[in-house]
């Protein structure tokens, strides 16, 4: 008769002790409490100081606790994760503080009257007035700049991706890179020099030309990256069917990347919507409504904010903050529209 021997099951050595899921939150809470306590004991009154102390204690505490409970390798992994979260908070907290301050101070005078009236004969020291003339100027100037820069930028990107070869393509790429980094005041001075040559007075379209110069390289770069993401197999399949290259670009390449291209254009619009320097040089500003961007001085939201805040009056400060909140809302709406178009035009991944 044979006897069967059974060997006891050995626990796997691949899984060691693990911190509970709530441990990172507990360490973070303890670090914040310790940071506040150290700041109070040391007499520190700055929020930045106790926040930095809490961040250092969080990273150090994460490593010590994880190394003792788990192992050093896992402790290093958790430290890197903590560094990522600290960097995220360092980036988000100033932005959130800026938005909160703008909302808190901008809602004092922001109402329907403020959005539908201009400054007219209202002095900077007086209450009342609005930003209708500035909103109208911004929409016209940014809209004209988009009509100029978007087609030129998209066509330039198509040339670089689909046709660009040799010295000309390298020269275009070089100048696009240079234009990406030029200050906005340089674009304004360039248009201003042309205005002085032809003895022209400030008008809204001059600001649009400067804004278009700033917008073009952004559109070129974003469109170029979107076109490069289109698989070459789609181009080759269209060309193999005998479709001309220009029609392949028009019917295959552009529809595939139209969502990303539109997003890039919208982000470029948001980038130029807050420019002040070229508008200050070329548009000059006006307290009255001017619906003709091709004649006479015209207002814009960035210039309105600059002029109101520079006046030094309390009522003007309130109007400047309300205009800033309106400009932030305008940029936010543009970003939401860009995301919606990108999601709407995104190619379907289902079968």
């Amino acid at each position: 008769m044979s006897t069967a021997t059974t060997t006891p099951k050995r626990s796997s050595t691949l899984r060691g002790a693990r911190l509970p899921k709530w441990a990172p939150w507990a360490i973070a809470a303890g670090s914040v409490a310790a940071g506040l306590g150290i700041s109070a004991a040391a007499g520190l009154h700055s929020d930045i100081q106790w926040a930095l102390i809490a961040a250092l204690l969080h990273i150090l505490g994460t490593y010590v606790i994880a190394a003792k409970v788990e192992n050093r390798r896992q402790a290093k992994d958790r430290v890197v994760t903590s560094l990522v979260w600290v960097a995220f908070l360092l980036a988000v907290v100033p932005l959130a503080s800026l938005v909160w301050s703008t909302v808190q101070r901008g809602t004092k005078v922001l109402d329907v009257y403020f959005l539908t009236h201009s400054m007219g004969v209202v002095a900077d020291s007086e209450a009342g007035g609005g930003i209708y003339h500035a909103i109208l100027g911004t929409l016209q100037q940014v809209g004209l700049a988009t009509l100029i820069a978007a087609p030129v930028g998209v066509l330039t990107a198509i040339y670089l991706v689909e046709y660009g070869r040799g010295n000309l393509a390298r020269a275009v790429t070089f100048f696009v890179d240079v234009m990406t980094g030029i200050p906005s005041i340089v674009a304004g001075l360039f248009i201003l020099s042309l205005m002085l040559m032809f003895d022209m007075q400030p008008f809204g379209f001059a600001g649009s030309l400067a804004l278009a110069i700033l917008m073009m390289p952004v559109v070129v770069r974003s469109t170029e990256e979107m076109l490069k993401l289109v698989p070459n197999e789609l181009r080759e399949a269209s060309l193999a069917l005998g479709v001309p290259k220009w029609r392949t670009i028009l019917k295959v390449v552009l529809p595939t990347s139209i969502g990303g291209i539109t997003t890039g254009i919208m982000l470029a619009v948001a980038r130029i919507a807050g420019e002040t320097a070229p508008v200050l040089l070329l548009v000059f500003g006006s307290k009255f409504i001017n619906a003709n961007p091709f004649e006479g001085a015209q207002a814009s939201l960035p210039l309105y904010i600059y002029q109101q805040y520079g006046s030094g009056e309390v009522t003007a400060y309130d109007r400047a903050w309300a205009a800033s909140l309106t400009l932030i809302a305008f940029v936010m709406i543009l970003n939401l529209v860009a995301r919606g178009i990108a999601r709407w035009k995104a190619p379907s991944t289902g079968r």
Side-chain angles (χ1 to χ4, degrees), residues 20-293:
K21 293 183 178 180
W22 49 264
W25 298 100
I27 296 173
S31 301
V32 170
L36 290 173
I38 293 174
S39 299
L44 304 177
H45 302 288
S46 174
D47 294 337
I48 298 177
Q49 292 174 328
W50 76 258
L52 291 176
I53 293 174
L56 292 175
L57 291 176
H58 176 64
I59 296 172
L60 181 61
T62 299
Y63 180 80
V64 172
I65 295 174
K68 186 173 181 180
V69 176
E70 299 174 334
N71 53 64
R72 290 187 177 181
R73 183 176 180 179
Q74 189 66 24
K76 293 178 180 179
D77 179 76
R78 290 186 178 274
V79 166
V80 172
T81 304
S82 300
L83 288 173
V84 171
W85 277 103
V86 169
F88 170 75
L89 292 176
L90 289 177
V92 169
V93 169
L95 177 61
S97 175
L98 173 64
V99 173
W100 172 251
S101 299
T102 307
V103 171
Q104 187 179 28
R105 305 181 68 171
T107 52
K108 292 181 179 179
V109 297
L110 184 60
D111 52 18
V112 177
Y113 179 88
F114 183 74
L115 296 175
T116 56
H117 287 74
S118 66
M119 290 299 295
V121 295
V122 179
D124 293 336
S125 58
E126 297 176 351
I131 58 171
Y132 175 76
H133 61 305
I135 294 176
L136 181 63
T138 296
L139 292 177
Q140 290 182 342
Q141 294 160 26
V142 172
L144 290 172
T146 304
L147 290 177
I148 297 171
V152 175
V154 171
L155 292 175
T156 303
I158 291 174
Y159 166 75
L160 292 175
V161 175
E162 303 294 337
Y163 298 98
R165 300 292 184 274
N167 295 330
L168 180 59
R170 285 192 289 270
V172 172
T173 302
F174 172 76
F175 283 111
V176 168
D177 292 337
V178 172
M179 289 177 63
T180 304
I182 63 172
S184 59
I185 190 67
V186 176
L189 288 174
F190 172 70
I191 302 299
L192 180 62
S193 64
L194 297 179
M195 292 174 59
L196 295 176
M197 289 174 57
F198 295 98
D199 194 22
M200 302 173 68
Q201 297 299 318
F203 61 109
F205 185 65
S208 299
L209 293 176
L211 296 178
I213 294 175
L214 299 173
M215 184 178 176
M216 282 182 195
V218 181
V219 175
V220 172
R221 276 284 167 245
S222 60
T223 304
E224 188 178 0
E225 295 301 321
M226 291 300 103
L227 294 177
K228 288 179 179 178
L229 293 177
V230 178
N232 286 327
E233 290 78 4
L234 295 178
R235 298 181 177 91
E236 294 170 356
S238 178
L239 295 173
L241 294 175
V243 180
K245 188 168 185 177
W246 68 269
R247 196 171 183 84
T248 299
I249 296 172
L250 189 63
K251 295 295 185 178
V252 176
V253 178
L254 288 179
T256 304
S257 58
I258 190 63
I261 294 174
T262 306
T263 302
I265 293 175
M266 288 293 184
L267 294 178
V269 171
R271 180 246 190 274
I272 65 172
E275 290 292 344
T276 307
V279 178
L280 178 63
L281 288 175
L282 306 172
V283 179
F284 207 67
S286 174
K287 288 188 174 183
F288 298 93
I289 299 173
N290 179 11
N292 185 5

